[in-house]
Amino acid sequence: MKKYVFFNEDPNHFVFERMRAGKYDITADDINSFIDGYKETDITDFLICLNASMCWYPSRRTDNAIDKYRLWLSSGKITDERENTVTWGAKMNSDLYAAGLDYRAMWIERLRETGIRPWISIRMNDIHGSAKKGDFLNSELVEAHPEYRRTPYREPVSNYDCALDYMREDVRSYYLAVIEESLSRYDADGIELDFMREAYCLCVGREYEGIAVMTDFVRSAHSLIMAAGEKRGKRIKTAVRLPADPELAMRLGFDAFTWADEGLVDVITVSPRWSSADNNMPIDIWKRIFEKKGVLILAGLEILLEPYPRRPRKYLSNTLESARGSCCAYLSMGADGIYLFNYMDTLVHESEKGDCLANRGMDEFLRSAGSPSLLEKSDRRHIVTYCDVSAPGAARIRQLPAKVSESGYSLLRIPTGNIPKDARVTLVLGFTGENKSAIPAAYANAMSCRYIGKVPYALPMYDDMEYHALEIANDGNLPPVTVAEIYSRGGSGTVSWAEIQIAQNK
């Protein structure tokens, strides 16, 4: 049985990607064919994001990128538009609306014709540009009120410090206005409140106090959504995107428990922020909590993937096999569906990216992302990653790097989903450090693994590690979650990469 697949299209990717490809004059056929490209996929619900810090349509309630572009152009702030991709993208948006092509409204109509449910997504606290005063991406609220930041008592030391504080009534009113206008302008089947852009919505030190404030805000948003549904003669659903763990969400002020008890939400997507897909989110716990409340639980996947926050950062992108692995594992853990963030189309393929979904397999992936039976029978990789969101007092799960020795074990939890009896199952470990004589060893689910030998790196692995493979014996009864006890022979070492590869015997 197929599961839900929610797909998020960001506020300016469509025009920016076509700009990168050298297509500056977008037509109605281009707009419709973009949606047609998703016809033969597993996507059930398509979320159209309308805003970042400001709206990317000609809003009448708030400032927006269209009017800002025209103001900057008339005032001389823009001289050579094509030197700045942001303002050139704003120009292309402006040209589309000036030509009477409200492409989001056109998408909604086309999605319904295609059989995909259209949603609107609102980013509740986007910080792109907010660390730099005068940046084109900043809303007037951000520019005029630095005191509305979540750390107004000191200078910001990270971009997250520049997020707006929902303890401020003006901040709440601004986003309620965006929600209300989007509902009146666009006839969507649902609206998402995306709190993962950003999850840091409350003044540092006031997170506990802010729980009640955020719940009141969600109540107000839900009232607007219900009222819009009554006007349109239908029920418009409400979704939220939240941090990966229930405790983490609560510590940041998001009381999803009360929201569900009061019937304020229909869908909860649990998700990383951006820097890595999180392959160990407790989806099974979320389901246990909310399964009798009529709330769908979706596992949110990011396009990026890394095992831990290396310095300097070297971002990796999912491949067909690693993306399949994440979907298969989460659906087997009980997720009602998969939510894809930053899995958008790519017209310009850059060879230096190598083997990644942008270059190989995106269409194939989208045709199987919600199909457990297809995923289980596919070649896949289950890579140990980490949670890239933190909160005061909440545990932060990072399994790697892991120190190992002949008597010192490190435990790794690796969800895989169901494994067919005839599949080859391999544990691959990446070693870093000076001790080249150390050979990794492991037990998987209390059974000793057979050492195979060194293997070459294959993206998305890092190219500066030494990789070793160990066989996990497959008797057809392997559990959907593997616990591997890692140690070493011949000395100590550091495991900085770990994955389980599942290959089908053709």
Side-chain angles (χ1 to χ4, degrees):
M1 179 179 176
K2 286 192 175 184
K3 302 290 186 176
Y4 294 97
V5 177
F6 279 51
F7 182 95
N8 184 295
E9 173 69 22
D10 93 356
N12 44 38
H13 159 264
F14 174 73
V15 293
F16 274 92
E17 189 61 26
R18 276 128 199 90
M19 175 181 64
R20 288 179 67 236
K23 184 174 182 56
Y24 301 113
D25 298 315
I26 298 174
T27 66
D29 285 343
D30 296 324
I31 292 166
N32 287 326
S33 64
F34 172 71
I35 296 300
D36 291 345
Y38 295 106
K39 273 184 179 179
E40 305 300 327
T41 69
D42 279 3
I43 295 171
T44 58
D45 297 76
F46 195 99
L47 294 92
I48 303 165
C49 183
L50 297 178
N51 72 307
S53 176
M54 59 183 170
C55 294
W56 279 78
Y57 65 89
S59 170
R60 296 183 179 180
R61 295 286 303 276
T62 66
D63 57 320
N64 63 84
I66 314 305
D67 291 342
K68 190 169 189 176
Y69 162 76
R70 293 169 181 167
L71 177 62
W72 277 34
L73 185 65
S74 64
S75 65
K77 281 191 175 183
I78 300 174
T79 53
D80 188 351
E81 293 161 319
R82 295 199 186 193
E83 284 189 359
N84 187 313
T85 57
V86 172
T87 53
W88 188 252
K91 174 196 178 340
M92 291 178 66
N93 266 282
S94 177
D95 290 348
L96 282 168
Y97 283 103
L101 297 175
D102 185 338
Y103 60 96
R104 278 96 174 193
M106 294 170 68
W107 283 348
I108 288 173
E109 183 178 344
R110 195 72 166 194
L111 284 164
R112 287 207 174 96
E113 293 172 0
T114 304
I116 300 174
R117 286 179 289 271
W119 289 65
I120 292 301
S121 178
I122 305 297
R123 294 186 178 183
M124 305 312 300
N125 207 344
D126 193 284
I127 58 173
H128 284 93
S130 60
K132 181 181 177 183
K133 187 170 179 58
D135 194 289
F136 181 86
L137 292 171
N138 291 339
S139 67
E140 291 178 5
L141 190 69
V142 168
E143 284 289 302
H145 295 284
E147 72 276 15
Y148 287 1
R149 291 174 172 172
R150 63 190 288 265
T151 58
Y153 48 87
R154 60 168 171 81
E155 287 298 310
V157 295
S158 73
N159 287 343
Y160 298 134
D161 288 346
C162 298
L164 296 171
D165 178 15
Y166 269 69
M167 298 298 285
R168 302 275 187 169
E169 184 177 354
D170 285 355
V171 172
R172 302 194 299 274
S173 296
Y174 177 85
Y175 283 102
L176 288 172
V178 173
I179 292 167
E180 186 172 31
E181 183 180 47
S182 69
L183 288 163
S184 63
R185 183 179 182 112
Y186 295 106
D187 180 19
D189 290 356
I191 185 165
E192 177 191 55
L193 313 182
D194 184 357
F195 288 111
M196 292 306 292
R197 289 293 186 277
E198 299 295 331
Y200 304 101
C201 289
L202 295 166
C203 177
V204 175
R206 301 186 69 186
E207 292 89 356
Y208 186 83
E209 176 187 359
I211 290 172
V213 174
M214 295 305 297
T215 295
D216 281 341
F217 174 82
V218 173
R219 289 189 187 111
S220 297
H222 186 258
S223 294
L224 294 174
I225 295 166
M226 292 299 99
E230 288 181 10
K231 288 182 180 179
R232 294 190 181 275
K234 65 179 184 180
R235 186 176 183 279
I236 300 174
K237 293 187 176 181
T238 304
V240 292
R241 196 161 74 103
L242 297 177
D245 184 272
E247 180 194 15
L248 189 58
M250 193 74 165
R251 295 292 178 260
L252 288 170
F254 305 118
D255 184 3
F257 310 100
T258 297
W259 302 354
D261 287 342
E262 295 185 10
L264 304 178
V265 295
D266 302 289
V267 181
I268 297 174
T269 299
V270 295
S271 173
R273 182 196 174 268
W274 174 76
S275 59
S276 182
D278 182 353
N279 286 332
N280 199 27
M281 298 185 295
I283 291 295
D284 48 344
I285 296 175
W286 282 97
K287 279 294 295 180
R288 276 293 193 86
I289 295 170
F290 292 97
E291 64 185 347
K292 294 182 180 179
K293 299 183 184 297
V295 177
L296 295 179
I297 299 296
L298 306 180
L301 304 186
E302 254 294 347
I303 193 69
L304 295 180
L305 181 149
E306 60 178 358
Y308 63 96
R310 289 179 54 144
R311 294 293 185 271
R313 301 302 285 269
K314 185 177 180 181
Y315 295 108
L316 306 168
S317 183
N318 264 299
T319 65
L320 171 61
E321 290 77 18
S322 63
R324 279 174 169 169
S326 299
C327 292
C328 187
Y330 281 128
L331 293 179
S332 75
M333 291 169 66
D336 294 302
I338 300 297
Y339 181 112
L340 302 175
F341 198 93
N342 281 332
Y343 281 74
M344 297 166 289
D345 76 328
T346 303
L347 302 183
V348 179
H349 295 272
E350 300 174 14
S351 59
E352 62 268 23
K353 288 184 178 179
D355 186 16
C356 62
L357 271 172
N359 290 338
R360 177 183 67 89
M362 180 64 85
D363 290 343
E364 188 177 352
F365 170 66
L366 294 178
R367 289 194 295 269
S368 62
S371 303
S373 60
L374 290 178
L375 293 168
E376 289 174 11
K377 296 173 184 175
S378 67
D379 291 347
R380 44 196 162 97
R381 296 170 67 180
H382 301 274
I383 298 170
V384 174
T385 59
Y386 74 105
C387 176
D388 65 350
V389 175
S390 62
R396 193 170 190 179
I397 304 301
R398 291 182 182 173
Q399 299 191 85
L400 297 175
K403 299 287 187 181
V404 295
S405 66
E406 294 183 78
S407 59
Y409 294 83
S410 286
L411 272 64
L412 301 177
R413 182 181 190 272
I414 310 176
T416 63
N418 298 324
I419 300 175
K421 182 178 181 179
D422 59 349
R424 287 175 283 118
V425 186
T426 308
L427 175 65
V428 177
L429 304 174
F431 260 42
T432 57
E434 297 297 323
N435 190 348
K436 298 298 183 183
S437 63
I439 300 297
Y443 296 97
N445 306 314
M447 298 292 292
S448 181
C449 299
R450 181 179 69 86
Y451 180 72
I452 298 172
K454 293 181 182 180
V455 292
Y457 98 98
L459 288 172
M461 293 172 171
Y462 294 111
D463 60 5
D464 59 354
M465 297 183 193
E466 191 173 75
Y467 293 92
H468 301 256
L470 300 97
E471 179 188 4
I472 298 177
N474 180 11
D475 62 358
N477 295 304
L478 289 176
V481 176
T482 286
V483 173
E485 299 173 85
I486 312 297
Y487 64 106
S488 67
R489 297 190 176 97
S492 61
T494 300
V495 176
S496 297
W497 181 276
E499 66 174 283
I500 290 177
Q501 298 179 357
I502 298 173
Q504 308 298 325
N505 287 317
K506 307 299 186 195

